[in-house]
Amino acid sequence: MRFDIITLFPELFAPFLEVGVTRRAYQSGQVAVHCWNPRDYAPGNYRRVDDRPFGGGPGMVMMAQPLADCLAAIRAQRAQAGEGDRPAPLVLFSPIGRAINHGEVQAWSDSQGAILLCGRYEGVDQRFIDQFVDVQLSLGDFVLSGGEIAAMALMDAVTRLQPGVLHDEGSHQLDSFNPALDGLLDCPHYTRPEVWNGQPVPAELLSGHHAHIERWRREQSLRITAGHRPELLEAARTRGQLTRKDEQVLANLPKPL
């Protein structure tokens, strides 16, 4: 898997690639990451990549030509590396993009990677978007200073799903939103000591009875999801993934005030 990142601030990615459990995948090349600065493809002494918007208004707009030349260099290198018949999609992080969720991450984790365009200023010249961008993605209904944080979020989520990246191969299978949990939120987790600040670990987790532990975890998952993301419960119910016992647990939960 390979990610090429078009960014005016490649230095932001250096610490991201060197820490945490995912660093092994980046360092080994299991997930290859290449940063490209469009300033390197801008003409003149000032290497200008932005200009004032036509029609007036605040801020600046990223110019199409430096981005196009940068993209051409990336495509050429990927082709030389044997990318194959299907070029990697160009992804732009944008407020109009579809929201990144678990399904989106899973789909990208099964791919060969992408070219990630991190916009800045007021955005990117629409003509470049119309001609070259394949996919637009968003972290949510808010605006960031640039697409770099969104690119890191996508790469981190995708990389941790790659084989061998996590210490426990099955660790991500019980993540919140995962199909193994029917798309619900994960249950609470506890570790040593058994009593901390007067608060004990739930007795079910100390029982050694696997069926009781799994039932407790399911009930906690239902409780937390009902309290924080009830729409996930409705989606699971629509898919027929809630059992009669699940519904009994939900029916017995305290009603919100």
Side-chain angles (χ1 to χ4, degrees), residues 9-72:
F9 301 99
E11 62 272 17
L12 291 176
F13 290 87
F16 167 76
L17 298 173
E18 295 172 357
V19 299
V21 69
T22 54
R23 74 184 186 280
R24 297 193 303 271
Y26 303 130
Q27 291 172 353
S28 69
Q30 181 183 5
V31 177
V33 178
H34 303 267
C35 289
W36 303 75
N37 193 332
R39 291 193 190 279
D40 296 335
Y41 300 88
N45 293 332
Y46 293 102
R47 300 289 184 182
R48 189 168 187 175
V49 295
D50 63 300
D51 209 333
R52 292 184 296 273
F54 283 117
M60 307 290 276
V61 177
M62 294 184 74
M63 302 166 69
Q65 194 58 53
L67 292 174
D69 292 342
C70 182
L71 178 61

Side-chain angles (χ1 to χ4, degrees), residues 144-174:
L144 296 166
S145 299
E148 285 80 9
I149 292 175
M152 292 178 194
L154 178 65
M155 285 196 300
D156 182 79
V158 168
T159 299
R160 67 189 302 277
L161 296 186
Q162 299 307 299
V165 172
L166 300 181
H167 292 293
D168 185 341
E169 284 291 327
S171 179
H172 67 79
Q173 296 297 328
L174 296 179

Side-chain angles (χ1 to χ4, degrees), residues 174-176 181 184-190 205 213-225:
L174 296 179
D175 286 343
S176 294
L181 288 178
L184 306 183
L185 299 179
D186 196 4
C187 66
H189 298 277
Y190 300 83
L205 297 179
I213 292 172
E214 290 308 309
R215 190 62 213 166
W216 179 89
R217 287 175 171 164
R218 179 67 174 185
E219 291 175 358
Q220 293 301 308
S221 174
L222 292 165
R223 177 183 63 81
I224 291 174
T225 305

Side-chain angles (χ1 to χ4, degrees):
M1 173 175 287
R2 170 173 169 166
F3 287 105
D4 290 273
I5 306 164
I6 301 176
T7 172
L8 294 174
F9 301 99
E11 62 272 17
L12 291 176
F13 290 87
F16 167 76
L17 298 173
E18 295 172 357
V19 299
V21 69
T22 54
R23 74 184 186 280
R24 297 193 303 271
Y26 303 130
Q27 291 172 353
S28 69
Q30 181 183 5
V31 177
V33 178
H34 303 267
C35 289
W36 303 75
N37 193 332
R39 291 193 190 279
D40 296 335
Y41 300 88
N45 293 332
Y46 293 102
R47 300 289 184 182
R48 189 168 187 175
V49 295
D50 63 300
D51 209 333
R52 292 184 296 273
F54 283 117
M60 307 290 276
V61 177
M62 294 184 74
M63 302 166 69
Q65 194 58 53
L67 292 174
D69 292 342
C70 182
L71 178 61
I74 295 171
R75 295 282 190 211
Q77 189 183 97
R78 291 184 72 114
Q80 191 174 32
E83 180 175 51
D85 297 332
R86 298 184 63 184
L90 175 61
V91 177
L92 173 65
F93 297 100
S94 162
I96 72 170
R98 61 178 182 253
I100 300 173
N101 57 24
H102 178 82
E104 188 80 41
V105 170
Q106 184 65 63
W108 285 107
S109 73
D110 296 331
S111 75
Q112 294 302 307
I115 302 170
L116 308 180
L117 172 55
C118 303
R120 281 274 163 173
Y121 314 122
E122 291 301 307
V124 175
D125 189 307
Q126 187 64 40
R127 293 168 294 184
F128 178 85
I129 297 174
D130 293 341
Q131 186 168 345
F132 293 110
V133 170
D134 300 297
V135 179
Q136 296 194 56
L137 297 177
S138 171
L139 288 185
D141 294 341
F142 56 93
V143 177
L144 296 166
S145 299
E148 285 80 9
I149 292 175
M152 292 178 194
L154 178 65
M155 285 196 300
D156 182 79
V158 168
T159 299
R160 67 189 302 277
L161 296 186
Q162 299 307 299
V165 172
L166 300 181
H167 292 293
D168 185 341
E169 284 291 327
S171 179
H172 67 79
Q173 296 297 328
L174 296 179
D175 286 343
S176 294
F177 314 114
N178 197 288
L181 288 178
D182 298 326
L184 306 183
L185 299 179
D186 196 4
C187 66
H189 298 277
Y190 300 83
T191 188
R192 291 181 176 85
E194 291 184 13
V195 178
W196 179 79
N197 276 5
Q199 300 178 69
V201 172
E204 291 86 348
L205 297 179
L206 304 175
S207 68
H209 194 297
H210 294 298
H212 289 177
I213 292 172
E214 290 308 309
R215 190 62 213 166
W216 179 89
R217 287 175 171 164
R218 179 67 174 185
E219 291 175 358
Q220 293 301 308
S221 174
L222 292 165
R223 177 183 63 81
I224 291 174
T225 305
H228 296 276
R229 295 290 301 276
E231 75 277 10
L232 298 178
L233 277 176
E234 289 304 319
R237 183 176 287 117
T238 300
R239 295 191 298 266
Q241 293 174 311
L242 297 185
T243 66
R244 182 176 300 176
K245 287 186 177 180
D246 291 339
E247 296 290 6
Q248 290 174 350
V249 170
L250 292 170
N252 290 327
L253 290 176
K255 303 301 180 184
L257 298 178

